[in-house]
Amino acid sequence: MNKKINRTNFLLLTASCLLFMFTACQKDDNLFEKPAPGEQAGEISLLFNIAGEPETRSAVDGTGNTQHVQYVQLYIFQGTGDNATCIASENIGWAEHFGNIPPTNNAQMKYKVKYNNFIIGNPYTFLAVGLDDQSGTTYGLPAAIMASGTPTTLGNANATLTSGASWTAISKSELFAGYSIITPTMYGLNNGRIDMYRRVAGITGWFTHVPTTVGLKTVSSIRVSLYTQQNKSVPLIKRQQKPLFQDYITSPATANTDSKVLFTIPAPGNTGTTVSQGVYVLPTPTPPAADSYNYTILIEVVATDGSTVSSKRVKLTQGDILDSSTGQGTGVIDQESDYRFPIIANHFYSIGTATSPIDLGGNI
């Protein structure tokens, strides 16, 4: 009789345990439910990568992979289109992360975003801008992009020469930017990466056998110029570059033609001396295929009276990727395309090299 009772009690106890385990499992399953859109997401961690190496070197070798970023600002936009508005702005502490000695080559940094009101299922655009010791003043960054008051939209997230600043400040200001679109999908940590590249181009020239006189005129300088005025604005979000080049903003830097000049080098007074100079410049489109615009970059030898005594057009090397002879999708075949090319961000344009400078012919 006792055996029967014990067996019955055992069966009842086992059934109760199974029921409890089943109920407990049901409760545990709720812990792993897929987050529902509209709920608040967890934190976001970003890996920032600054690539010092230029995307390409045009004509001949450039200046290496040195970069000079000292400060990085992160902007967060709610959405992905031009109308997405800036909702947060954060200094990520780039220099501090490297012990206040920012690296001058390719570098990475992990950062946990301070803003924490992300919504699961909503896309956000994370825009990072890297500044050297000049570009913050030149473009009024980081304050020029605002998350409060009248928030900046993504379509207006540009770097623009500040009012009252000289256009020549552009030539000394290195500027990096990159972005990533992240849609938070979980309560826990969401990860992302932003690769930052230059939003300026570099142009450097090396010259030798600079004449001291041409005919009866004394040479004062070498002048290197664009076919048009330099632009004073650049989109921080990279735009289309091929087949039609659209990664620029038409924004003449001055009301006159002064800003055509990229740089001027005083004549060394000795034909055997090699001289060099380089600048940053904002992206510029290819000149129109017309005789009046038969170059992108022009080298001029200038006399003391201001007149041009000789000039050379800068030509791309054969097969250069910037060659626009196929029309870049326009259907127009340009026989002068070696001389007509766009100025593209994160490209270095070398006019000669340190070991093979441009020969300006000496005295004539």
Side-chain angles (χ1 to χ4, degrees):
M1 184 70 175
N2 289 337
K3 289 184 179 179
K4 291 184 178 179
I5 293 175
N6 290 340
R7 183 175 179 180
T8 301
N9 290 339
F10 174 76
L11 292 173
L12 289 172
L13 180 61
T14 303
S16 297
C17 289
L18 290 173
L19 179 62
F20 174 76
M21 291 174 62
F22 178 71
T23 304
C25 288
Q26 283 186 314
K27 290 180 179 178
D28 287 343
D29 285 345
N30 290 335
L31 296 177
F32 300 99
E33 284 183 350
K34 183 178 180 181
E39 294 186 80
Q40 186 165 333
E43 296 177 317
I44 289 182
S45 177
L46 295 172
L47 175 65
F48 292 84
N49 177 62
I50 291 183
E53 186 71 17
E55 183 176 346
T56 178
R57 306 175 189 278
S58 298
V60 289
D61 287 345
T63 58
N65 65 346
T66 301
Q67 54 88 6
H68 308 92
V69 172
Q70 297 189 6
Y71 181 98
V72 175
Q73 189 78 5
L74 173 67
Y75 303 97
I76 304 170
F77 292 80
Q78 188 167 336
T80 60
D82 285 349
N83 294 326
T85 55
C86 186
I87 57 175
S89 177
E90 301 178 11
N91 172 6
I92 74 166
W94 179 263
E96 295 82 354
H97 177 76
F98 295 100
N100 292 314
I101 305 176
T104 56
N105 50 14
N106 294 359
Q108 292 186 336
M109 170 186 166
K110 288 185 178 180
Y111 175 75
K112 188 175 290 186
V113 178
K114 294 183 178 68
Y115 180 83
N116 61 0
N117 290 324
F118 298 107
I119 302 300
I120 290 174
N122 288 1
Y124 297 86
T125 301
F126 294 79
L127 170 64
V129 177
L131 308 171
D132 67 1
D133 61 349
Q134 302 270 349
S135 52
T137 300
T138 300
Y139 300 110
L141 293 166
I145 297 176
M146 298 184 296
S148 59
T150 303
T152 303
T153 61
L154 201 55
N156 289 320
N158 306 317
T160 299
L161 182 68
T162 56
S163 177
S166 170
W167 59 270
T168 57
I170 295 172
S171 68
K172 302 174 183 178
S173 301
E174 190 174 33
L175 177 69
F176 279 72
Y179 75 99
S180 181
I181 297 172
I182 300 174
T183 302
T185 59
M186 54 194 299
Y187 297 121
L189 192 64
N190 297 266
N191 294 305
R193 174 183 173 124
I194 299 179
D195 292 312
M196 302 169 63
Y197 300 94
R198 288 179 188 84
R199 295 303 293 144
V200 297
I203 299 177
T204 302
W206 287 267
F207 308 96
T208 192
H209 292 150
V210 181
T212 57
T213 60
V214 175
L216 300 177
K217 294 189 175 184
T218 300
V219 172
S220 66
S221 62
I222 306 162
R223 184 168 62 207
V224 177
S225 304
L226 280 178
Y227 75 95
T228 188
Q229 292 184 64
Q230 294 181 52
N231 287 322
K232 63 180 180 182
S233 297
V234 61
L236 292 172
I237 300 286
K238 180 180 176 181
R239 298 178 180 175
Q240 174 182 302
Q241 294 185 346
K242 294 180 179 180
L244 291 175
F245 181 66
Q246 299 176 355
D247 192 24
Y248 68 96
I249 297 174
T250 301
S251 49
T254 60
N256 50 46
T257 59
D258 289 350
S259 66
K260 285 186 176 182
V261 179
L262 293 168
F263 56 86
T264 300
I265 304 175
N270 183 336
T271 58
T273 300
T274 296
V275 292
S276 175
Q277 191 167 329
V279 295
Y280 296 116
V281 61
L282 298 185
T284 306
T286 303
D291 290 341
S292 56
Y293 296 99
N294 63 355
Y295 66 88
T296 291
I297 301 173
L298 186 68
I299 306 165
E300 298 171 285
V301 176
V302 181
T304 53
D305 63 4
S307 63
T308 298
V309 293
S310 67
S311 65
K312 293 178 181 286
R313 296 181 294 167
V314 172
K315 183 180 181 181
L316 292 178
T317 54
Q318 187 175 8
D320 193 288
I321 65 166
L322 299 182
D323 189 343
S324 58
S325 61
T326 57
Q328 294 184 344
T330 63
V332 177
I333 304 301
D334 183 8
Q335 300 303 323
E336 290 278 288
S337 65
D338 288 349
Y339 300 98
R340 281 192 278 253
F341 47 87
I343 303 297
I344 302 177
N346 202 40
H347 287 57
F348 280 157
Y349 300 78
S350 295
I351 306 168
T353 66
T355 56
S356 183
I358 299 297
D359 190 334
L360 293 180
N363 293 334
I364 300 174

